[in-house]
Amino acid sequence: MDRSISIRGARTHNLADISLEIPHKKLTVVTGVSGSGKSSLVFDTVYAEGQRRYVQSLSTYARLFLERMERPDVDSISEIPPALALRQKNTIKNARSTVGTVTEISDYIRLLFATVGRTVCPQCGGEVSRDSVESAGAKILAAPGLYVILAPFEAGSRSLPDAAGYLIQNGYHRLYANDAITETAEFAARAIAAEAQNGLAPKLDSTMMVVVDRISVTTESEIERVREALEKAFYLGAGRARAVRVERDNGNGNTHSVGAIDFDRRFNCARCATAFAEPTTALFSSNSPIGACPECEGFGRTVELDLDKVIPNHNLSMRNGLIAPWRTPAYREMNEWMLKLARRRKIRTSAPYNEMTDEERTWLLDGDEGPRAKWDEDKWPGVHGFFKWLEGRRYKTHVRILLAKYRRFVTCPMCGGAKLKAEALNVLVGGVSIADVGRLSIRDLVGWLGKIESIPEVATRAAVVMRELRNRVGYLLEVGLGYLTVERQARTLSGGEAQRIHLASALGSVLVGTLYALDEPTVGLHAADARRLLAVLHSLRDFGNTVVVVEHDPAMIAGADYVVELGPGGGSEGGELTYAGLPAKANLDSMASSPGRVLLMRALAKQRKFNKRDPAVRIVGAREHNLADVDVAIPAGRMVCVTGVSGSGKSTLVEDVLYNNYLRRSGDASAEPGECDRIDGLELIGEMVHMGQELPTRSMRSNPATYLKIYDDIRKLFAASPEARRLGVQARHFSFNVTGGRCEKCSGTGTVTIEMHFMADLEVKCDACDGRRFQSHILAIKLRNYSINQVLDLTVEDARAFFIRHPGIVKRLDALIAVGLGYIRLGQTTSTLSGGEAQRLKLARFLLADLEPAPAGEDGAHLPRMFILDEPTTGLSSTDIKRLIKVLNRLVTEGNTLVVIEHNLEFIANADYVIDLGPGGGDGGGRIVASGSPLDIAACEKSETGRELRRLFGLPEKGRQVKSALRAAAGV
């Protein structure tokens, strides 16, 4: 019988005392609606127990330095292997961490360059190398003859007689000078005589050529004597030696030189003798002081004043608040001082910045000419002088914040963004430096590795390094991350990208007999890449590992060996086991997606052509990052989906170019706008509302009521009650974040943490307030017979009925109900929410922006909003996605424009207009492949999204046959 992980009586969070088996060495997918308990089962029960048992197996001393985990609420778990969790979250914040360092690719590249790298002199282009006794002996043996082995001896601070005496004392009695050999003692005697005659020591050359040996080299039998002489010469010559080949004169027995070979055991250029640092792994590390650029300290960027942030609006004058930091009360006196001195210097204060003369701008920015004291009242320091003055006060927190607000990062002028010293960049492998390799995408790195494999030295000395590099690069390609560059900062990766990088690292480590727990690995992945990811998970399983995946993607569920579904609802309505078995027999409620035929008919019914005269926001000449000078039209009043494979430029176009340019135009000096020629049509939009991928902060003090600002109104209602007024209790006393009304023993959290030292910390209910967070006199105040604790314990739907007479509270609760969170409790801490619930909570807050009064245009008419969403379907099941589409369509019906970055095919099929970027990722993307309705995208043969939509709609694979199939479906 096959082994399996046996779980009995799991009650973690909302799990309803369930029991099940998870087979070993299989790919198991756990699915269900959002909040049904999937993460509670996989991560908080199975993974937590596997990790806890591993930590418990270690020594007491080792456990002090590891995360202590409490035992999950379960009767028993047996046959559980050591566990690893790959979560859908990027926890990396360090600017030094890159794709290469996380996957160990950078480590192997450094080792490759240190092993087989060729150092090239930047001055003369000669190759830098070092001689050894063996290589020097081989060169002498290759040209037989009579040799004099010499050592260049540096006298240093010694006088000539002292230097000669030192040599004689150590057995070196001959010197070589002027093509002849002389006795060291005789040379010293002449020097002493000259010193006695003149009263001064003669000027000595810096180098004395000491004769170490004279050898007649004819056969290999003399090689040992040659090597011994070279060893002595290298020692005496501080790493240098010379072999002079001589021939005897006819008749007189004297010799003359016919050539010389210089040897250097130091790492110097063979042509110009310039010394270089020898390649080591530390030399190629930007985290080491040995290799890091001294200017930027290995970051590749330096900080400078950004005048575009200091002067965001060039249409303003000095009188109207031209300098942004001087509009604040703290520095308003700087503006007054500037105006006073400007009038004295006859500088126009009413002229806009873009109309100022060069002299006026120079005075404004650089100040008065000539020397001045630290703070001369009659000398204007200029904008640059003001910020230089602030630099001296960086020890104050508010000054550091102010400086950061008006600074920008620029490429380091010394290393050009390479992060390393020049010595490291002089080392080449295959004609490129390590900085050039770091700029390659993973896809291009494969080609470079194939190119250098033909170098004999690489094949012989770096075979193991090359094998490890090929494996790790290959795994990154398999998980769909070929568009990332090696030096891409890890903190800039999305949660899905970070998880897939860790998955590739896990494949590279080739672990066996391990439990891998993954949280929605298809997030941020194009449907075309999801099938490749499934093959990667199968490879991980085939190594002998147990792979458990929390997932909603139908293709991933269909490719699993075993499926577990939890439900039937979310929160208190979920936590039950609704199905466990083979995917072929599964009829899962949570995956009840719309049939392809239904989606096709819906797309046909919604199809509406877009022409050039229709109102739209038009982006012209977008070229930020990998965008290839694209022109894009976003129709107003529609749901627009921006699609494409990972790395094709979707976020760059929508967030960096569109949204950040809007922020900069609105006066936000901190926004970093993406590069483009212009954006037309922004006057059609009253306001842009952006929802990124960041989930709400998980905290014991944060809950749905506080997150949606409902709790402020609830506290005011309690404070207005007769009992509260009689006791003098104010709204702030109903807060569990400040002293006054909260329980002080647990600080308003309802629980107390007991430190168990060598065991996991124990969290128990506070015995002072019995977990109710507040003091007794606060709990005694009732609102319609409900205390503040009882109100927080209401579900959203019950709370709506309770506060039905308060429209401000009801409209916020309706937003929660609209996204399907009517079952959660008002006071439920966000730390206990699932990923899907947290995503929907964020959506509810996002929707509340539409309830605010619409902004007005110049004519006083209300203007619609543009809502920008980045992958809103993250963590949502098909049932949740249907509800989301319904809510978003309501916003479109009200005249708003939605721009959604999305990969989910069902969501894309319900869009009004689709902009497909690609065709590939990285350098292979950044172009418009197709735009139009979902059916127009499906008809495009070049579009990867179109190919997946054709499969979804049940259309022919060939794009040319799609139009006829569509006409047939429409009955035309």
Side-chain angles (χ1 to χ4, degrees), residues 607-931:
Q607 192 171 21
R608 181 159 56 105
K609 292 293 181 183
F610 170 71
N611 57 59
K612 294 182 179 180
R613 293 187 299 275
D614 289 341
V617 174
R618 290 178 167 83
I619 303 171
V620 180
R623 50 190 175 275
E624 181 75 6
H625 297 325
N626 66 332
L627 293 179
D629 201 24
V630 297
D631 299 339
V632 184
I634 301 173
R638 303 193 195 184
M639 186 195 295
V640 180
C641 258
V642 181
T643 64
V645 298
S646 298
S648 58
K650 304 181 297 297
S651 297
T652 301
L653 176 67
V654 175
E655 297 181 335
D656 294 349
V657 177
L658 176 60
Y659 184 61
N660 283 357
N661 271 285
Y662 163 78
L663 290 179
R664 179 57 70 90
R665 187 176 295 192
S666 302
D668 185 351
S670 63
E672 299 281 354
E675 194 175 357
C676 67
D677 291 339
R678 66 181 188 277
I679 300 179
D680 300 327
L682 286 178
E683 66 278 359
L684 303 172
I685 305 299
E687 180 187 13
M688 275 193 197
V689 183
H690 175 256
M691 188 189 86
Q693 292 187 352
E694 305 81 13
L695 291 177
T697 303
R698 305 296 184 91
S699 167
M700 285 290 291
R701 298 186 179 279
S702 173
N703 55 51
T706 58
Y707 188 73
L708 295 184
K709 310 296 183 187
I710 300 172
Y711 196 48
D712 294 342
D713 293 338
I714 293 175
R715 289 191 293 122
K716 290 176 184 175
L717 288 176
F718 271 92
S721 65
E723 183 68 13
R725 287 201 302 269
R726 186 180 67 82
L727 295 174
V729 174
Q730 301 174 4
R732 65 182 183 86
H733 294 123
F734 292 94
S735 171
F736 32 75
N737 294 324
V738 295
T739 57
R742 69 179 185 182
C743 172
E744 292 305 325
K745 183 172 182 179
C746 63
S747 298
T749 61
T751 60
V752 176
T753 301
I754 302 173
E755 291 188 10
M756 302 297 288
H757 300 291
F758 297 110
M759 299 173 61
D761 292 343
L762 190 63
E763 194 173 86
V764 297
K765 186 188 294 185
C766 176
D767 56 3
C769 64
D770 197 27
R772 293 181 293 177
R773 296 186 167 196
F774 295 97
Q775 297 176 24
S776 57
H777 72 282
I778 298 295
L779 293 171
I781 299 172
K782 300 293 181 71
L783 182 67
R784 300 200 341 248
N785 297 324
Y786 275 74
S787 68
I788 185 69
N789 181 66
Q790 290 172 321
V791 167
L792 289 173
D793 202 41
L794 292 173
T795 64
V796 171
E797 291 177 343
D798 292 340
R800 188 188 188 281
F802 185 81
F803 293 109
I804 193 65
R805 298 177 184 174
H806 304 280
I809 297 176
V810 169
K811 72 176 183 180
R812 295 179 180 275
L813 294 173
D814 283 340
L816 285 170
I817 295 171
V819 296
L821 289 180
Y823 60 87
I824 65 172
R825 302 189 182 279
L826 287 183
Q828 183 176 343
T829 58
T830 53
S831 60
T832 63
L833 297 178
S834 70
E837 287 172 335
Q839 178 78 353
R840 286 186 287 163
L841 179 63
K842 185 177 68 171
L843 279 168
R845 184 169 177 175
F846 177 80
L847 294 173
L848 286 175
D850 189 49
L851 301 177
E852 302 297 329
E858 294 180 359
D859 58 355
H862 290 299
L863 294 174
R865 293 181 173 89
M866 177 178 281
F867 293 91
I868 296 174
L869 298 91
D870 190 357
E871 297 192 48
T873 61
T874 300
L876 304 186
S877 67
S878 291
T879 305
D880 301 324
I881 291 172
K882 288 195 187 80
R883 187 183 290 115
L884 172 65
I885 292 171
K886 186 176 180 181
V887 171
L888 296 182
N889 278 331
R890 189 196 74 199
L891 294 178
V892 175
T893 304
E894 294 171 356
N896 299 301
T897 304
L898 267 70
V899 181
V900 186
I901 300 171
E902 192 51 77
H903 290 295
N904 184 274
L905 291 175
E906 186 174 350
F907 191 97
I908 296 169
N910 280 277
D912 300 316
Y913 194 82
V914 179
I915 299 168
D916 190 46
L917 293 174
D923 293 337
R927 293 179 287 278
I928 304 296
V929 178
S931 60

Side-chain angles (χ1 to χ4, degrees), residues 474-676:
Y475 292 138
L476 283 174
L477 286 177
E478 288 182 21
V479 297
L481 295 176
Y483 59 91
L484 295 178
T485 60
V486 178
E487 285 297 317
R488 168 81 175 267
Q489 284 190 348
R491 64 178 181 174
T492 65
L493 300 173
S494 67
E497 287 172 333
Q499 186 185 33
R500 293 200 297 279
I501 277 186
H502 291 304
L503 177 60
S505 300
L507 285 166
S509 63
V510 199
L511 291 176
V512 296
T514 304
L515 169 66
Y516 283 95
L518 289 88
D519 186 10
E520 292 194 67
T522 58
V523 167
L525 202 59
H526 192 271
D529 296 323
R531 276 185 288 276
R532 280 192 303 186
L533 178 63
L534 182 60
V536 171
L537 295 178
H538 284 158
S539 300
L540 200 60
R541 174 203 63 189
D542 294 340
F543 284 156
N545 297 301
T546 303
V547 183
V548 183
V549 182
V550 175
E551 190 53 84
H552 297 292
D553 186 72
M556 191 68 70
I557 294 172
D561 301 318
Y562 195 78
V563 174
V564 173
E565 186 191 35
L566 300 178
S572 59
E573 299 172 6
E576 298 178 9
L577 183 66
T578 58
Y579 178 79
L582 300 176
K585 299 179 181 179
N587 182 19
L588 307 180
D589 295 333
S590 62
M591 300 311 300
S593 58
S594 301
R597 189 71 180 175
V598 173
L599 292 172
L600 175 61
M601 292 296 104
R602 193 178 296 161
L604 283 167
K606 290 180 65 175
Q607 192 171 21
R608 181 159 56 105
K609 292 293 181 183
F610 170 71
N611 57 59
K612 294 182 179 180
R613 293 187 299 275
D614 289 341
V617 174
R618 290 178 167 83
I619 303 171
V620 180
R623 50 190 175 275
E624 181 75 6
H625 297 325
N626 66 332
L627 293 179
D629 201 24
V630 297
D631 299 339
V632 184
I634 301 173
R638 303 193 195 184
M639 186 195 295
V640 180
C641 258
V642 181
T643 64
V645 298
S646 298
S648 58
K650 304 181 297 297
S651 297
T652 301
L653 176 67
V654 175
E655 297 181 335
D656 294 349
V657 177
L658 176 60
Y659 184 61
N660 283 357
N661 271 285
Y662 163 78
L663 290 179
R664 179 57 70 90
R665 187 176 295 192
S666 302
D668 185 351
S670 63
E672 299 281 354
E675 194 175 357
C676 67

Side-chain angles (χ1 to χ4, degrees), residues 34-223:
S34 175
S36 58
K38 304 181 296 296
S39 296
S40 297
L41 174 64
V42 175
F43 292 100
D44 299 331
T45 303
V46 178
Y47 164 71
E49 179 64 10
Q51 188 76 352
R52 187 188 70 84
R53 290 188 187 181
Y54 170 72
V55 171
Q56 288 296 319
S57 69
L58 302 176
S59 67
T60 304
Y61 180 74
R63 291 204 303 270
L64 288 173
F65 305 98
L66 296 174
E67 181 184 4
R68 295 172 300 197
M69 306 182 74
E70 62 177 295
R71 190 179 188 281
D73 189 4
V74 60
D75 291 341
S76 67
I77 301 180
S78 59
E79 299 285 343
I80 185 168
L84 286 174
L86 305 179
R87 295 183 183 272
Q88 184 212 110
K89 185 168 58 175
N90 187 1
T91 58
I92 299 172
K93 304 299 180 186
N94 192 344
R96 294 187 182 274
S97 181
T98 65
V99 170
T101 58
V102 172
T103 58
E104 298 180 344
I105 286 176
S106 291
D107 298 334
Y108 284 104
I109 289 176
R110 287 199 297 270
L111 192 57
L112 178 68
F113 271 78
T115 305
V116 299
R118 292 174 55 253
T119 303
V120 177
C121 177
Q123 299 176 14
C124 66
E127 183 175 349
V128 182
S129 60
R130 68 164 68 248
D131 291 307
S132 64
V133 171
E134 289 76 14
S135 64
K139 287 181 182 179
I140 293 174
L141 196 63
L146 182 61
Y147 283 92
V148 180
I149 309 298
L150 306 175
F153 177 70
E154 299 285 348
S157 60
R158 299 183 183 94
S159 65
L160 182 57
D162 290 344
Y166 172 80
L167 291 173
I168 292 170
Q169 186 180 356
N170 284 276
Y172 298 103
H173 297 281
R174 294 178 180 84
L175 299 177
Y176 191 84
N178 300 322
D179 207 15
I181 298 175
T182 61
E183 294 292 329
T184 307
E186 182 183 340
F187 189 80
R190 288 200 303 267
I192 293 171
E195 184 178 355
Q197 183 177 356
N198 300 326
L200 294 172
K203 188 174 181 181
L204 183 68
D205 290 337
S206 60
T207 305
M208 301 169 66
M209 302 304 296
V210 181
V211 177
V212 177
D213 202 351
R214 290 177 289 182
I215 309 171
S216 177
V217 180
T218 55
T219 62
E220 290 189 8
S221 59
E222 289 89 8
I223 189 64

